[in-house]
Amino acid sequence: MTGYKFVKPFYLIVLSLFVIQAIHGIDANAQDIAATINGDKTSPSRPLLFWVNNDYNVVNNSGAINTNLVRCPPQSLTEQVCEQWDEIPRVQAGTFITNTSPNNLSRIESERDLEDFQPLLISLPLETDLKGIPQLPENTTVSLRANNLSINLFRGLWNQGNDYLTDQTVMRNQVRVAFDFNGDGSVLSDEFLYAFPLNSNNAQQAEKVLNQQDIDRFFSQGKQAKFIFEGVESSPLSCITTPQDCYLEIAIKRGNQILASERIYLQLYDVKHFYDHYTVGIGQAQNGATVAATATNLHTTTLPHQYINIHSGLDQGFEEDYIMFVHGWRLPFSERIHFAETSFKRLYLSGYRGRFGTYTWPTGFFELPAHIYRDNELVGFLRGNEQNYGDSEAMARAAGVPLTNLLNALNATNNVNIFAHSMGNVVVSEALRNAGSTQIVANYIASQAAEVASAYNQDANWMDYTFDVDPVPILGDIDRDFEQSAQGVLDAWYFSNPGELFSQDTVFDMPPNFYTYDVPDEHGPTIPLLERRTASQAQENWGPNYYHTIGQAAGNIINFYNVADAALDAWRFNQITKPDFLGGPRWNYEHFQQNVEIDLVQNIFRKDPPNTIEWELTTPINTASAEILGHIIPARTDSLGQSAQINTTGISVVGDNFSLRGFIPSDRAFGQSNQGHSAQFYFHFLGRENY
C-alpha cells in the first residue's frame, strides 16, 4: 500500500469456447481454448474466490422495506427518509430473508445489491447468421453445468467488466425497473433480465441446456453473451483442498458427445470466511455487558467461519497490508457486522489486496428510527436512554486496552492500518494513547469522530452550539444560537444546566477540562473564559491535551469530517448538558478550597451523591475516570468529526483533513440527514467509491 490510497481495477470473467477439430457449423478458424478472469485463466490452482449473496440489500423508505423500488425517489439531504442499505436480518417461515431467497431469485432488489455480483462473458466458436447470431449445428446444444456450485444468472448489460458498479446509466439499466414517482410506486417487471439458476445440489438445476431460442436471446450481440451472477449457496469447504472439483463447465454437445468444453474454477463462501472478526463483547452496554480483557477472533474459534484468503486464488499480488475497522455507537450486533462487511466488500471492489478485520465492542443500543426528525416524535425513543451514550463512551474507552494489545500482535507481521467511525474513534484513540511513543499503526483514518477536538489539538475552535427544538407548549419557540467563543460556550452550558445558572457565583462552576489539559489536582478557574489563561501559568503546571502522544503511535492521521453532521450536532447537545442526571445515576461535580487565601480548588466527583469517584489520569484509563469523562466533563470545542482540526499549527498530532461534503459529488454527498452520519455504509458502490 502506498500511503493510504488503493488502485481500483475491474473484475471480468471471460470464457471462450473453441474447438481444435473442424466440425460442420463450428468455426474452424477458432483459436485455442481459453477461460480468463481479468485477462488470467482460472485453473484448479488459481480459482476465483468470491462471496455468496446472503445479505438483504433493499430500499427502506420511511422505516419500511419497499420491494417495489430499487432506488430511492429524489429527496432532501437534510431530512432524508429513504435509503438503500443492508437490512437487519428478518426471519420468515423459519429462515432468514436474503437477496437469494427463493422468492427473490428472479430480480435484483436494489442498485446496492449489485455489489454481490460478478460479470461473466461467454464466447462460442459457432458460425453466425446475417445478424451475427451464433447458429447451432443440427442436433447440437450448448450446456452450462455446475459442479459443487450454486449460482444465479441474469443477462448482463455492462460494457466493460463490472461497470454496472461505476457507471450510473449501466447500473440503472442492469436493475431495469421503471418508476412512477407520482403514482403508487408500481414498477415494470424486470424478469426479462433474469436468465436461470445453476445449482449442483438440485438435480433439475445442475445443468442448463441452451437451444437455438436461448442462443438468440443471450447472444444477441454476436458470438458473445454477457451475464452477471450471484452466489446462492456456499461451496463445500472441501473445495479448498480439491479445487479441481468446483467449477462451472460450458460445453458444446452433439447428443452425449462433447465437441468442446471449458471450465471456470469458482469457490463461493459466506463473506465471513474472508475477514477476521475480533470482539471484546457481543452484548449491549445498557444490558450490563462488559469488555473482555482479550479480543477473541470469532472467525477462527467459531465454525464454520474459519478464515479463507480471498486473494489466494486468481487475484495475485496479495499485500501485507491489514485494515482494521472499528464501529461506533448504538448498533445491535448484526449491524456491527453489516458495517464491517460493507467496508470489506467495497475495499475489495476498489482493488484492495490486503487483509481485513473488524473489532467489535459492546456499545449500547436503543431504537431511534433514522427517518424521524420531529422532536416530539423522538422524545418517546430517548426517554429512559438519556445515559446510554455516556455509558457507551465509558465502555469505548475500556475497549481501547485490548485493542492496543491486538494491534501490537498484528503489527508484528502486517502493515496495520485502522479505520474508525463515530464513537469507534474513542476506542481507537484510547488504544493509540495506551501505546505511548511506540508506533503500532501506519495510518489511522478517523471518520466522523465523536470525540472532543481539543483532546487532539489544544487550539481547536470553540464549540459552535445552537439549541434548536420544535416549539414547546406554553413556552413556544426557545431556540438559541450561541456565539462561537469562550463566552458562548459558558452561556450554552449555563443555559443547558439551569441549576448552575441560578447559583453561579464562582469561576469554578464548570467541571475541569480534562480533554484539553492535564489539569492538576489543585487548580485555578475552569470556566472557558479563563481556563486557557490559567493553563499558561507555569506555577500551576497544566499539562498537555489528552491524546497528545497518539501522533507517535500512528504514522499518519487522516480526519474525515462533516461540518453539517446531524448525529454530531446531537453530540454537542450531549456534551453541553453534562453532568448527566436523567435516565440513570445522578452525576455531579463539586469543588472546595483547602486554603481560602489561595485562589485554587480541588475536585470532587460524585456518582449518586453522596458517593464519590476519583479522577486519575492513568494509562490506560481506569473505570472511574472513563465514567467521569463520559458523564461529567463537558467539551468546550466541537467534535473532531465536525472540524478540520488535524494538521493545525502548534498541535502534537499531524495529518490531513478531508471534508465529506467537499470531495464527494453533491448528489451523493454526506448530508445533514440522520442517515448522513453513517452514509459510507449505505447507498451503493458508485455513490461511495470516492470515499
Side-chain angles (χ1 to χ4, degrees), residues 161-472:
N162 63 356
D163 61 3
Y164 52 81
L165 293 176
T166 59
D167 185 298
Q168 180 168 281
T169 299
V170 177
M171 175 181 68
R172 293 193 169 187
N173 285 336
Q174 187 63 74
V175 295
R176 191 63 69 84
V177 175
F179 287 81
D180 177 12
F181 291 130
N182 298 317
D184 60 0
S186 60
V187 299
L188 297 177
S189 170
D190 64 339
E191 290 189 356
F192 68 96
L193 285 183
Y194 183 58
F196 47 83
L198 286 172
N199 185 352
S200 57
N201 297 320
N202 184 326
Q204 295 179 334
Q205 297 179 353
E207 183 176 21
K208 173 65 176 178
V209 177
L210 304 182
N211 55 30
Q212 187 59 54
Q213 184 178 3
D214 295 321
I215 297 294
D216 292 344
R217 178 189 178 199
F218 297 124
F219 290 81
S220 58
Q221 300 180 20
K223 292 186 178 183
Q224 296 181 333
K226 295 177 181 178
F227 297 93
I228 63 171
F229 72 90
E230 58 187 341
V232 178
E233 298 178 14
S234 293
S235 301
L237 292 177
S238 61
C239 290
I240 298 172
T241 54
T242 58
Q244 68 274 12
D245 296 333
C246 307
Y247 55 81
L248 170 64
E249 181 179 63
I250 300 93
I252 299 177
K253 293 182 177 181
R254 178 173 289 158
N256 292 327
Q257 180 187 7
I258 296 178
L259 304 179
S261 69
E262 179 66 316
R263 293 176 178 178
I264 287 183
Y265 293 90
L266 295 173
Q267 296 179 31
L268 303 171
Y269 300 106
D270 189 317
V271 70
K272 292 176 176 56
H273 284 286
F274 297 137
Y275 69 95
D276 299 315
H277 180 175
Y278 293 96
T279 189
V280 289
I282 64 174
Q284 298 173 4
Q286 77 279 3
N287 295 332
T290 58
V291 173
T294 304
T296 300
N297 190 347
L298 297 181
H299 292 178
T300 58
T301 59
T302 306
L303 293 175
H305 295 142
Q306 62 264 38
Y307 179 74
I308 300 172
N309 182 1
I310 194 173
H311 311 296
S312 62
L314 186 68
D315 295 315
Q316 293 189 331
F318 173 68
E319 302 172 1
E320 294 304 320
D321 285 312
Y322 195 114
I323 292 180
M324 180 70 74
F325 166 67
V326 182
H327 64 82
W329 174 58
R330 210 178 59 79
L331 296 176
F333 185 66
S334 60
E335 201 163 3
R336 301 171 205 172
I337 294 172
H338 288 176
F339 279 20
E341 292 181 353
T342 296
S343 301
F344 166 75
K345 290 177 181 179
R346 291 179 176 176
L347 281 168
Y348 177 91
L349 295 170
S350 297
Y352 175 62
R353 289 293 170 271
R355 190 158 174 169
F356 181 86
T358 188
Y359 179 87
T360 60
W361 54 280
T363 173
F365 175 74
F366 60 93
E367 292 288 346
L368 190 65
H371 65 282
I372 293 179
Y373 293 89
R374 304 282 77 82
D375 296 323
N376 60 339
E377 296 178 87
L378 290 170
V379 168
F381 294 98
L382 294 171
R383 187 174 294 118
N385 297 301
E386 292 88 350
Q387 294 192 28
N388 190 290
Y389 190 91
D391 290 342
S392 296
E393 181 186 318
M395 193 78 70
R397 297 190 187 282
V401 177
L403 180 57
T404 305
N405 298 332
L406 174 60
L407 293 174
N408 272 317
L410 292 173
N411 199 46
T413 55
N414 299 274
N415 180 37
V416 180
N417 309 274
I418 197 158
F419 153 49
H421 175 246
S422 193
M423 192 185 282
N425 289 280
V426 175
V427 181
V428 173
S429 295
E430 288 285 356
L432 297 179
R433 176 177 175 268
N434 297 337
S437 60
T438 302
Q439 181 175 319
I440 59 173
V441 297
N443 297 292
Y444 165 32
I445 296 91
S447 195
Q448 298 117 305
E451 179 60 304
V452 184
S454 64
Y456 306 86
N457 174 9
Q458 283 189 324
D459 296 326
N461 296 328
W462 297 108
M463 182 183 293
D464 186 9
Y465 182 66
T466 298
F467 182 79
D468 184 9
V469 298
D470 295 337
V472 179

